Amino acid sequence: MKLLHNFKKHVKDNVLLYFALIIVFMIGISSGAITINMLKGTQKEELIKFLDSFFKVINENDVDNILLVKQSFKNNLQTLIMIWFLGITVIGIPLVAGVVLLRGFVVGFTVGFLVKELGLKGFLFSILSILPQNIFLIPWIIASSVVSIGFSIKIIKSRTNKSNKFVFLNELTRYSIVIGILFLISIIGILIESYATPMFMKLIS
């Protein structure tokens, strides 16, 4: 109950930040979808060839789920470290927003391209193979980004308001623990991406 109370308080205290980053994510999705129309014919052909070869590999080979877990964990851990580090630099606030924007762009471009080029098959592929893990990965990135930006704002306030009690080491420890706990959300997405998604991919392909 205390954890739920703290979570509700966190969201309430940072509602504007959440709203702003969700808007940034939506802009990323829109930008990714629009970019598809700017692709040249040769670029589209190369992407389609890549998709064809990807589907063939999925159909003809057994998926190494453990390898996928390791790779996905590594990629998301790198994102976590980047968001954490940017939070303690202060000047990294716009870069944290850039991480959210880029993730939105990738999702928008991928889904848009699949639907446009593969029609119903692309839509099903997006729903079953892209959406499930992102139900957990996207909230994790947005929540971690909010915490990161919030920490940067605390540092700024401590420098401009000398009466503000801010013990950097204590706050850094608390900040790191929260970021680490939030990473647990991504673990669910990683497992879905590594075990459930390949199964759906084979089913669709």
Coordinates of all heavy atoms in Angstrom, one line a residue, residues 20-96:
A20 N 4.2 16.2 -20.7 CA 5.2 16.7 -21.7 C 5.9 15.6 -22.4 O 6.1 15.6 -23.7 CB 6.2 17.7 -21.0
L21 N 6.4 14.6 -21.7 CA 7.1 13.5 -22.3 C 6.2 12.6 -23.2 O 6.7 12.0 -24.2 CB 7.9 12.7 -21.3 CG 9.1 13.4 -20.6 CD1 9.8 12.5 -19.6 CD2 10.1 13.8 -21.7
I22 N 5.0 12.4 -22.8 CA 4.1 11.7 -23.6 C 3.8 12.4 -24.9 O 3.8 11.8 -26.0 CB 2.7 11.4 -22.8 CG1 2.9 10.4 -21.7 CG2 1.6 10.9 -23.8 CD1 1.8 10.3 -20.8
I23 N 3.7 13.7 -24.9 CA 3.6 14.5 -26.1 C 4.8 14.4 -27.0 O 4.7 14.2 -28.2 CB 3.3 16.0 -25.7 CG1 2.0 16.2 -25.0 CG2 3.4 16.9 -27.0 CD1 0.8 15.9 -25.9
V24 N 6.0 14.4 -26.3 CA 7.2 14.2 -27.1 C 7.3 12.9 -27.7 O 7.7 12.7 -28.9 CB 8.5 14.4 -26.1 CG1 9.7 13.9 -26.8 CG2 8.6 15.8 -25.7
F25 N 6.8 11.8 -27.0 CA 6.8 10.5 -27.6 C 5.8 10.4 -28.8 O 6.1 9.8 -29.8 CB 6.3 9.5 -26.5 CG 6.3 8.1 -27.0 CD1 7.4 7.3 -27.1 CD2 5.1 7.5 -27.2 CE1 7.4 6.0 -27.6 CE2 5.0 6.2 -27.7 CZ 6.2 5.4 -27.8
M26 N 4.7 11.1 -28.6 CA 3.7 11.1 -29.7 C 4.2 11.8 -30.9 O 4.0 11.4 -32.1 CB 2.4 11.7 -29.3 CG 1.7 11.0 -28.1 SD 1.2 9.3 -28.6 CE 0.0 9.6 -29.8
I27 N 5.0 12.9 -30.7 CA 5.6 13.6 -31.8 C 6.6 12.7 -32.5 O 6.7 12.7 -33.7 CB 6.3 14.9 -31.3 CG1 5.3 15.9 -30.8 CG2 7.2 15.5 -32.4 CD1 5.9 17.1 -30.1
G28 N 7.4 11.9 -31.7 CA 8.3 10.9 -32.3 C 7.6 9.9 -33.2 O 8.1 9.6 -34.3
I29 N 6.5 9.4 -32.7 CA 5.7 8.4 -33.5 C 5.2 9.1 -34.8 O 5.3 8.5 -35.9 CB 4.5 7.9 -32.7 CG1 4.9 7.0 -31.5 CG2 3.5 7.2 -33.6 CD1 3.8 6.5 -30.7
S30 N 4.7 10.3 -34.7 CA 4.2 11.0 -35.9 C 5.3 11.2 -36.9 O 5.2 11.0 -38.1 CB 3.6 12.3 -35.5 OG 2.5 12.1 -34.6
S31 N 6.5 11.6 -36.4 CA 7.7 11.9 -37.2 C 8.1 10.6 -37.9 O 8.4 10.7 -39.1 CB 8.8 12.5 -36.4 OG 8.4 13.7 -35.8
G32 N 8.1 9.5 -37.2 CA 8.5 8.3 -37.8 C 7.6 7.8 -38.9 O 8.0 7.4 -39.9
A33 N 6.3 8.0 -38.7 CA 5.3 7.6 -39.7 C 5.4 8.5 -40.9 O 5.2 8.0 -42.0 CB 3.9 7.7 -39.1
I34 N 5.6 9.8 -40.7 CA 5.7 10.8 -41.8 C 7.0 10.5 -42.6 O 7.0 10.6 -43.9 CB 5.7 12.2 -41.3 CG1 4.4 12.6 -40.7 CG2 6.1 13.2 -42.4 CD1 4.4 13.9 -40.0
T35 N 8.0 10.1 -42.0 CA 9.3 9.8 -42.7 C 9.2 8.7 -43.7 O 9.9 8.8 -44.7 CB 10.4 9.4 -41.6 OG1 10.5 10.5 -40.7 CG2 11.8 9.2 -42.3
I36 N 8.3 7.8 -43.5 CA 8.1 6.7 -44.5 C 7.8 7.3 -45.9 O 8.3 6.8 -46.9 CB 6.9 5.8 -44.0 CG1 7.3 5.1 -42.7 CG2 6.6 4.7 -45.1 CD1 6.1 4.4 -42.0
N37 N 7.0 8.3 -45.9 CA 6.6 8.9 -47.2 C 7.8 9.7 -47.9 O 7.7 10.0 -49.0 CB 5.5 9.9 -47.0 CG 4.2 9.3 -46.5 OD1 3.9 8.2 -46.9 ND2 3.5 9.9 -45.6
M38 N 8.9 9.9 -47.1 CA 10.0 10.6 -47.7 C 11.1 9.6 -48.2 O 12.1 10.1 -48.7 CB 10.6 11.5 -46.6 CG 9.6 12.6 -46.1 SD 10.2 13.4 -44.6 CE 11.7 14.2 -45.2
L39 N 10.9 8.3 -48.0 CA 11.8 7.3 -48.4 C 11.9 7.2 -49.9 O 10.8 7.3 -50.6 CB 11.5 6.0 -47.9 CG 11.7 5.7 -46.3 CD1 11.2 4.4 -46.0 CD2 13.1 5.9 -45.9
K40 N 13.1 7.1 -50.5 CA 13.2 6.9 -51.9 C 12.9 5.4 -52.3 O 12.8 4.6 -51.4 CB 14.6 7.2 -52.3 CG 15.0 8.7 -52.1 CD 16.5 8.9 -52.5 CE 16.9 10.3 -52.2 NZ 18.3 10.6 -52.6
G41 N 12.6 5.2 -53.6 CA 12.2 3.9 -54.0 C 13.3 2.8 -53.7 O 12.9 1.7 -53.2
T42 N 14.5 3.2 -53.9 CA 15.6 2.2 -53.6 C 15.7 1.9 -52.1 O 15.9 0.7 -51.7 CB 17.0 2.8 -54.0 OG1 17.2 4.1 -53.5 CG2 17.0 2.9 -55.6
Q43 N 15.4 2.9 -51.3 CA 15.4 2.7 -49.8 C 14.3 1.7 -49.4 O 14.5 0.9 -48.5 CB 15.3 4.0 -49.1 CG 16.6 4.9 -49.2 CD 16.4 6.3 -48.6 OE1 15.3 6.9 -48.8 NE2 17.4 6.8 -48.0
K44 N 13.1 1.9 -50.0 CA 12.0 1.1 -49.7 C 12.3 -0.4 -50.1 O 12.0 -1.3 -49.4 CB 10.7 1.6 -50.4 CG 10.1 2.8 -49.7 CD 8.8 3.1 -50.4 CE 8.1 4.2 -49.7 NZ 6.7 4.5 -50.3
E45 N 12.9 -0.5 -51.3 CA 13.2 -1.9 -51.8 C 14.2 -2.6 -50.9 O 14.0 -3.8 -50.6 CB 13.8 -1.7 -53.2 CG 12.8 -1.4 -54.3 CD 13.4 -1.2 -55.6 OE1 14.6 -1.5 -55.8 OE2 12.7 -0.8 -56.6
E46 N 15.2 -1.8 -50.4 CA 16.2 -2.4 -49.5 C 15.5 -2.9 -48.2 O 15.8 -4.0 -47.7 CB 17.3 -1.4 -49.2 CG 18.2 -1.2 -50.4 CD 19.2 -0.1 -50.1 OE1 19.2 0.4 -49.0 OE2 20.0 0.2 -51.0
L47 N 14.6 -2.1 -47.7 CA 13.9 -2.4 -46.4 C 13.0 -3.6 -46.6 O 12.9 -4.5 -45.7 CB 13.1 -1.2 -45.9 CG 13.9 -0.1 -45.3 CD1 13.0 1.1 -45.0 CD2 14.5 -0.5 -44.0
I48 N 12.3 -3.7 -47.8 CA 11.5 -4.8 -48.1 C 12.3 -6.1 -48.2 O 11.9 -7.2 -47.7 CB 10.6 -4.6 -49.4 CG1 9.6 -3.5 -49.1 CG2 9.9 -5.8 -49.8 CD1 8.9 -3.0 -50.3
K49 N 13.4 -6.0 -48.9 CA 14.3 -7.2 -49.0 C 14.8 -7.6 -47.6 O 14.9 -8.8 -47.4 CB 15.5 -6.8 -49.9 CG 15.2 -6.7 -51.3 CD 16.5 -6.3 -52.1 CE 16.2 -6.2 -53.6 NZ 17.4 -5.8 -54.4
F50 N 15.1 -6.7 -46.8 CA 15.5 -7.0 -45.4 C 14.4 -7.7 -44.7 O 14.7 -8.7 -44.0 CB 15.9 -5.7 -44.6 CG 16.2 -6.0 -43.2 CD1 17.4 -6.5 -42.7 CD2 15.2 -5.7 -42.2 CE1 17.6 -6.7 -41.4 CE2 15.4 -5.9 -40.9 CZ 16.6 -6.4 -40.5
L51 N 13.2 -7.3 -44.8 CA 12.0 -7.9 -44.2 C 11.8 -9.3 -44.7 O 11.6 -10.3 -43.9 CB 10.7 -7.1 -44.4 CG 10.5 -5.9 -43.5 CD1 9.2 -5.2 -44.0 CD2 10.4 -6.3 -42.1
D52 N 12.0 -9.5 -46.0 CA 11.8 -10.8 -46.6 C 12.9 -11.8 -46.0 O 12.5 -12.9 -45.7 CB 12.0 -10.8 -48.1 CG 10.8 -10.1 -48.8 OD1 9.7 -10.1 -48.1 OD2 10.9 -9.6 -49.9
S53 N 14.1 -11.4 -46.0 CA 15.2 -12.2 -45.5 C 15.0 -12.5 -44.0 O 15.3 -13.6 -43.5 CB 16.5 -11.6 -45.7 OG 16.6 -10.3 -45.0
F54 N 14.4 -11.5 -43.3 CA 14.2 -11.6 -41.8 C 13.1 -12.7 -41.6 O 13.3 -13.6 -40.7 CB 13.7 -10.3 -41.3 CG 13.3 -10.3 -39.8 CD1 14.2 -10.4 -38.8 CD2 11.9 -10.3 -39.5 CE1 13.9 -10.5 -37.5 CE2 11.6 -10.4 -38.1 CZ 12.5 -10.5 -37.1
F55 N 12.0 -12.7 -42.4 CA 11.0 -13.7 -42.2 C 11.5 -15.1 -42.6 O 11.1 -16.0 -42.0 CB 9.8 -13.3 -43.1 CG 8.9 -12.2 -42.6 CD1 8.6 -11.1 -43.3 CD2 8.4 -12.3 -41.3 CE1 7.8 -10.1 -42.8 CE2 7.5 -11.3 -40.8 CZ 7.3 -10.2 -41.5
K56 N 12.4 -15.1 -43.6 CA 12.9 -16.4 -44.0 C 13.8 -17.0 -42.8 O 13.7 -18.2 -42.5 CB 13.8 -16.3 -45.2 CG 12.9 -16.1 -46.5 CD 13.8 -15.9 -47.7 CE 13.0 -15.7 -49.0 NZ 13.9 -15.5 -50.2
V57 N 14.6 -16.2 -42.2 CA 15.4 -16.6 -41.1 C 14.6 -17.1 -39.9 O 14.8 -18.1 -39.3 CB 16.3 -15.5 -40.6 CG1 17.0 -15.8 -39.3 CG2 17.4 -15.1 -41.7
I58 N 13.5 -16.3 -39.7 CA 12.6 -16.7 -38.6 C 11.9 -18.1 -38.8 O 11.8 -18.9 -37.9 CB 11.5 -15.6 -38.4 CG1 12.0 -14.4 -37.8 CG2 10.3 -16.2 -37.6 CD1 12.5 -14.5 -36.3
N59 N 11.6 -18.3 -40.1 CA 10.9 -19.6 -40.5 C 11.8 -20.8 -40.5 O 11.4 -21.9 -40.1 CB 10.2 -19.4 -41.8 CG 8.9 -18.7 -41.8 OD1 8.1 -18.9 -40.8 ND2 8.6 -17.9 -42.8
E60 N 13.0 -20.5 -41.0 CA 13.9 -21.6 -41.2 C 14.9 -22.0 -40.1 O 15.5 -23.0 -40.1 CB 14.8 -21.3 -42.5 CG 13.9 -21.2 -43.7 CD 14.7 -20.7 -44.9 OE1 15.9 -20.5 -44.8 OE2 14.1 -20.5 -46.0
N61 N 14.9 -21.1 -39.1 CA 15.9 -21.4 -38.0 C 15.2 -21.3 -36.6 O 14.2 -20.6 -36.4 CB 17.0 -20.3 -38.0 CG 17.8 -20.4 -39.3 OD1 18.7 -21.2 -39.4 ND2 17.5 -19.5 -40.2
D62 N 15.7 -22.1 -35.7 CA 15.3 -22.0 -34.3 C 15.8 -20.8 -33.6 O 16.9 -20.4 -33.8 CB 15.7 -23.3 -33.5 CG 15.1 -24.5 -34.0 OD1 13.9 -24.5 -34.5 OD2 15.7 -25.6 -34.0
V63 N 14.9 -20.1 -32.9 CA 15.3 -18.9 -32.2 C 16.1 -19.2 -30.9 O 15.6 -20.0 -30.1 CB 14.1 -18.0 -31.9 CG1 14.5 -16.7 -31.1 CG2 13.4 -17.6 -33.2
D64 N 17.2 -18.5 -30.7 CA 17.9 -18.7 -29.5 C 17.4 -17.7 -28.5 O 17.8 -16.5 -28.4 CB 19.4 -18.5 -29.7 CG 20.3 -18.8 -28.5 OD1 19.8 -18.8 -27.4 OD2 21.5 -19.0 -28.7
N65 N 16.4 -18.1 -27.6 CA 15.8 -17.2 -26.7 C 16.7 -16.6 -25.7 O 16.6 -15.4 -25.3 CB 14.6 -17.9 -26.0 CG 13.6 -18.4 -26.9 OD1 13.5 -19.6 -27.1 ND2 12.8 -17.6 -27.5
I66 N 17.7 -17.4 -25.2 CA 18.6 -16.9 -24.2 C 19.5 -15.8 -24.8 O 19.8 -14.8 -24.2 CB 19.6 -18.0 -23.7 CG1 18.7 -19.2 -23.1 CG2 20.6 -17.5 -22.7 CD1 17.9 -18.7 -21.9
L67 N 19.9 -15.9 -26.1 CA 20.7 -14.9 -26.7 C 19.9 -13.6 -26.9 O 20.4 -12.5 -26.7 CB 21.2 -15.4 -28.1 CG 22.0 -14.5 -28.9 CD1 23.3 -14.2 -28.2 CD2 22.3 -15.1 -30.3
L68 N 18.6 -13.8 -27.2 CA 17.7 -12.6 -27.4 C 17.6 -11.9 -26.0 O 17.6 -10.6 -26.0 CB 16.3 -13.1 -27.9 CG 16.2 -13.4 -29.3 CD1 14.8 -13.9 -29.7 CD2 16.6 -12.3 -30.2
V69 N 17.4 -12.7 -24.9 CA 17.3 -12.0 -23.6 C 18.6 -11.2 -23.3 O 18.5 -10.1 -22.9 CB 17.1 -13.1 -22.5 CG1 17.3 -12.5 -21.1 CG2 15.8 -13.8 -22.6
K70 N 19.8 -11.8 -23.6 CA 21.0 -11.1 -23.3 C 21.1 -9.9 -24.1 O 21.6 -8.8 -23.6 CB 22.2 -12.1 -23.6 CG 22.3 -13.2 -22.6 CD 23.5 -14.1 -23.0 CE 23.7 -15.3 -22.0 NZ 24.8 -16.2 -22.4
Q71 N 20.8 -9.9 -25.4 CA 20.9 -8.8 -26.3 C 20.0 -7.7 -25.9 O 20.3 -6.5 -25.8 CB 20.7 -9.2 -27.7 CG 21.0 -8.1 -28.8 CD 22.4 -7.6 -28.7 OE1 23.4 -8.4 -28.7 NE2 22.6 -6.3 -28.7
S72 N 18.7 -8.1 -25.6 CA 17.7 -7.1 -25.3 C 18.0 -6.5 -23.9 O 17.9 -5.2 -23.7 CB 16.3 -7.8 -25.2 OG 15.3 -6.8 -24.9
F73 N 18.5 -7.3 -23.0 CA 18.9 -6.8 -21.7 C 20.0 -5.8 -21.8 O 20.0 -4.7 -21.2 CB 19.3 -7.9 -20.8 CG 19.7 -7.5 -19.4 CD1 18.7 -7.4 -18.4 CD2 21.0 -7.2 -19.0 CE1 19.0 -7.0 -17.1 CE2 21.3 -6.8 -17.7 CZ 20.3 -6.7 -16.8
K74 N 21.0 -6.1 -22.6 CA 22.1 -5.2 -22.9 C 21.7 -3.9 -23.5 O 22.1 -2.8 -23.0 CB 23.1 -5.9 -23.8 CG 24.3 -5.0 -24.2 CD 25.3 -5.7 -25.1 CE 26.4 -4.8 -25.6 NZ 27.3 -5.5 -26.6
N75 N 20.8 -3.9 -24.5 CA 20.3 -2.7 -25.1 C 19.6 -1.8 -24.1 O 19.8 -0.6 -24.1 CB 19.4 -3.1 -26.3 CG 20.2 -3.7 -27.4 OD1 21.4 -3.6 -27.5 ND2 19.5 -4.5 -28.3
N76 N 18.7 -2.4 -23.4 CA 17.9 -1.6 -22.4 C 18.7 -1.1 -21.2 O 18.4 0.0 -20.7 CB 16.7 -2.5 -21.9 CG 15.6 -2.6 -23.0 OD1 14.9 -1.7 -23.3 ND2 15.5 -3.8 -23.6
L77 N 19.7 -1.9 -20.8 CA 20.6 -1.5 -19.8 C 21.4 -0.2 -20.2 O 21.6 0.7 -19.4 CB 21.5 -2.6 -19.4 CG 22.5 -2.3 -18.2 CD1 21.7 -2.0 -16.9 CD2 23.4 -3.5 -17.9
Q78 N 21.8 -0.2 -21.5 CA 22.5 0.9 -22.0 C 21.6 2.2 -22.0 O 22.1 3.3 -21.7 CB 23.0 0.6 -23.5 CG 24.2 -0.4 -23.5 CD 24.5 -0.8 -24.9 OE1 23.7 -0.6 -25.9 NE2 25.7 -1.3 -25.1
T79 N 20.4 2.0 -22.4 CA 19.4 3.1 -22.3 C 19.2 3.6 -20.9 O 19.2 4.8 -20.6 CB 18.0 2.6 -22.9 OG1 18.2 2.2 -24.2 CG2 17.0 3.8 -22.9
L80 N 19.1 2.6 -20.0 CA 19.0 3.0 -18.5 C 20.2 3.8 -18.1 O 20.0 4.9 -17.4 CB 18.9 1.7 -17.7 CG 19.0 1.9 -16.2 CD1 17.7 2.4 -15.6 CD2 19.4 0.6 -15.5
I81 N 21.4 3.4 -18.4 CA 22.6 4.1 -17.9 C 22.7 5.5 -18.5 O 23.0 6.4 -17.9 CB 23.9 3.3 -18.3 CG1 23.9 2.0 -17.5 CG2 25.1 4.1 -18.1 CD1 25.0 1.0 -17.9
M82 N 22.3 5.6 -19.8 CA 22.2 6.9 -20.5 C 21.3 7.8 -19.8 O 21.6 9.0 -19.5 CB 21.8 6.7 -21.9 CG 21.9 8.0 -22.7 SD 21.2 7.8 -24.4 CE 22.2 6.5 -25.1
I83 N 20.1 7.3 -19.5 CA 19.1 8.2 -18.8 C 19.5 8.6 -17.4 O 19.4 9.7 -17.0 CB 17.7 7.5 -18.8 CG1 17.1 7.3 -20.2 CG2 16.7 8.2 -17.9 CD1 15.8 6.5 -20.2
W84 N 20.1 7.6 -16.7 CA 20.6 7.9 -15.3 C 21.7 8.9 -15.4 O 21.7 9.9 -14.6 CB 21.1 6.6 -14.7 CG 21.8 6.8 -13.4 CD1 21.2 6.8 -12.2 CD2 23.2 7.0 -13.1 NE1 22.1 7.0 -11.2 CE2 23.3 7.1 -11.7 CE3 24.3 7.1 -13.9 CZ2 24.6 7.4 -11.1 CZ3 25.6 7.3 -13.4 CH2 25.7 7.4 -12.0
F85 N 22.7 8.8 -16.3 CA 23.8 9.7 -16.4 C 23.3 11.1 -16.8 O 23.8 12.1 -16.2 CB 24.8 9.2 -17.4 CG 26.0 10.1 -17.6 CD1 27.0 10.2 -16.7 CD2 26.1 10.9 -18.8 CE1 28.0 11.0 -16.8 CE2 27.1 11.7 -18.9 CZ 28.1 11.8 -18.0
L86 N 22.4 11.2 -17.7 CA 21.9 12.5 -18.2 C 21.2 13.2 -17.0 O 21.3 14.5 -17.0 CB 21.0 12.3 -19.4 CG 21.7 11.9 -20.7 CD1 20.6 11.6 -21.7 CD2 22.6 12.9 -21.2
G87 N 20.7 12.5 -16.1 CA 20.0 13.1 -15.0 C 20.9 13.8 -14.0 O 20.5 14.8 -13.4
I88 N 22.1 13.4 -13.9 CA 23.1 14.0 -13.0 C 23.9 15.1 -13.7 O 24.8 15.7 -13.0 CB 24.0 13.0 -12.3 CG1 24.9 12.3 -13.4 CG2 23.2 12.0 -11.5 CD1 25.9 11.3 -12.8
T89 N 23.7 15.3 -15.0 CA 24.5 16.3 -15.7 C 23.8 17.6 -15.8 O 24.4 18.6 -16.1 CB 24.8 15.8 -17.1 OG1 23.6 15.7 -17.9 CG2 25.6 14.5 -17.2
V90 N 22.5 17.6 -15.5 CA 21.7 18.8 -15.5 C 21.4 19.3 -17.0 O 20.3 19.4 -17.4 CB 22.3 20.0 -14.7 CG1 21.4 21.3 -14.9 CG2 22.4 19.6 -13.3
I91 N 22.5 19.5 -17.8 CA 22.4 19.9 -19.1 C 21.8 18.8 -20.0 O 21.5 19.0 -21.2 CB 23.7 20.4 -19.7 CG1 24.7 19.3 -19.7 CG2 24.2 21.6 -19.0 CD1 26.0 19.6 -20.4
G92 N 21.6 17.6 -19.4 CA 21.1 16.5 -20.2 C 19.6 16.4 -20.3 O 19.1 15.5 -20.9
I93 N 18.9 17.4 -19.7 CA 17.4 17.4 -19.7 C 16.9 17.3 -21.2 O 16.0 16.4 -21.4 CB 16.9 18.6 -19.0 CG1 17.1 18.5 -17.5 CG2 15.4 18.8 -19.3 CD1 16.7 19.7 -16.7
P94 N 17.3 18.1 -22.1 CA 16.8 18.0 -23.5 C 17.2 16.7 -24.1 O 16.5 16.2 -25.0 CB 17.4 19.2 -24.2 CG 18.6 19.6 -23.4 CD 18.2 19.3 -22.0
L95 N 18.4 16.1 -23.7 CA 18.8 14.9 -24.3 C 18.0 13.7 -23.8 O 17.7 12.7 -24.5 CB 20.3 14.6 -23.9 CG 21.3 15.6 -24.5 CD1 22.7 15.3 -24.1 CD2 21.2 15.6 -26.0
V96 N 17.5 13.8 -22.6 CA 16.6 12.8 -22.0 C 15.3 12.8 -22.9 O 14.8 11.7 -23.2 CB 16.3 13.0 -20.5 CG1 15.2 12.1 -20.1 CG2 17.5 12.8 -19.7

